[in-house]
Amino acid sequence: MDPQARLQQLLQERGWTEYKLSKECGLAQSTIGNIFRRNTVPSIATLETICQGFGITLAQFFAEGEQVELTPELKELFDCWVCLAPAQKAAALQMMKAMRQDQL
C-alpha cells in the first residue's frame, strides 16, 4: 500500500486540506507537506499521529476494502457482546431485530 495515496484518499473522503490535517493531528504543516511533495514515507510514529487526527487506527489505515468505523458506542456494544454466552447473544440479536422491525 502506498501511504501517500492512502493519505490523499482520506483527505478527499473528508474534504480536508493538508493544513486541516496538520491542525487535527498537531503536526507541523511542513511535515504533512513533505509527505506529499518530497514523497517521503512517514515514520510509524508520525503515521500514528496522523491516524489519531483522522480518528482511525493504524489497522484501519492499512486495511484494504470497506471498513466500519468503531465508534465509542459501537466499541461499548462490542465489549458487552463478547462477554455474552451463546444463548444470550441469540436473545440479544432477536431483540435487536424486533426493534429494527418496529421502526420500518
Side-chain angles (χ1 to χ4, degrees):
M1 166 180 285
D2 176 18
Q4 289 89 350
R6 179 67 170 133
L7 288 170
Q8 200 64 269
Q9 175 191 10
L10 290 167
L11 287 172
Q12 288 175 355
E13 286 174 0
R14 289 163 174 75
W16 288 9
T17 62
E18 293 174 21
Y19 177 77
K20 167 83 172 164
L21 176 59
S22 72
K23 292 301 176 193
E24 291 295 321
C25 64
L27 291 172
Q29 190 175 358
S30 61
T31 301
I32 302 298
N34 284 339
I35 293 170
F36 294 106
R37 283 179 272 302
R38 292 190 179 168
N39 213 23
T40 59
V41 178
S43 68
I44 294 296
T46 299
L47 205 48
E48 283 180 319
T49 302
I50 290 171
C51 287
Q52 288 173 356
F54 279 128
I56 63 173
T57 65
L58 272 176
Q60 289 171 312
F61 180 84
F62 287 109
E64 299 199 15
E66 189 175 325
Q67 292 288 307
V68 174
E69 185 176 338
L70 190 60
T71 63
E73 183 180 52
L74 286 175
K75 183 179 181 331
E76 180 182 10
L77 183 63
F78 181 74
D79 289 343
C80 291
W81 178 265
V82 297
C83 296
L84 297 176
Q88 293 170 316
K89 288 179 182 178
L93 187 56
Q94 184 177 9
M95 181 184 67
M96 286 188 282
K97 286 179 179 179
M99 287 189 294
R100 184 177 62 190
Q101 290 299 322
D102 288 346
Q103 293 190 7
L104 295 178

